[in-house]
Amino acid sequence: MPDDTNESSGFKVVDRRPFSEDGTPREDAAEPLKHSEAPAAPSSPAVIEEESFPGELAEEGPSGFGMLVSYLSTTAMFQLGMLPGPSGEPIPMDLVNAHLTIDLLEVLQEKTQGNLTPEEAKMLEDVLYELRMTFVEVQKRATQKPK
């Protein structure tokens, strides 16, 4: 750091510690805020306006179980190389992470058993079945040697 003290950076450093280096109370120290003087927290959580979200996110309904299952299944499909990238380019397979994502859906199924509506349980069961079958097919193709 240069020792040029003629130029000011525009920052002012104020030492607000109530004690000096030797531990004695400082005379010029400002009174610390008391608990009652602290700024009040908002009484209700902030409401996020729809315009603050880009694109389709604002048009979607509230997040829920179906959205979570859809997100995880779409992620697995990308990892299996079944869906193109954002620009249409092929995405390389990642069978290890696809397996982990499918396992996450299985954990979700186990942990929510008995707590889902019949429609939610059926959706999760169907998604898991399709992903497992796709995983097996993709794994077979990946292990076959080209002729």
Side-chain angles (χ1 to χ4, degrees), residues 101-122:
T101 304
I102 294 168
D103 286 348
L104 279 175
L105 281 164
E106 290 173 355
V107 168
L108 187 63
Q109 184 180 40
E110 290 172 15
K111 296 295 183 178
T112 58
Q113 191 170 13
N115 293 320
L116 299 176
T117 65
E119 294 83 19
E120 290 171 333
K122 176 91 170 97

Side-chain angles (χ1 to χ4, degrees), residues 44-95:
S44 63
V47 176
I48 300 173
E49 299 295 326
E50 282 189 21
E51 296 95 34
S52 64
F53 290 111
E56 297 177 19
L57 184 59
E59 297 170 10
E60 295 291 324
S63 299
F65 184 78
M67 183 177 274
L68 176 62
V69 172
S70 175
Y71 174 78
L72 289 172
S73 64
T74 303
T75 300
M77 293 299 280
F78 275 114
Q79 293 165 335
L80 290 169
M82 301 301 292
L83 298 175
S87 303
E89 77 277 3
I91 296 177
M93 285 186 293
D94 185 358
L95 293 179

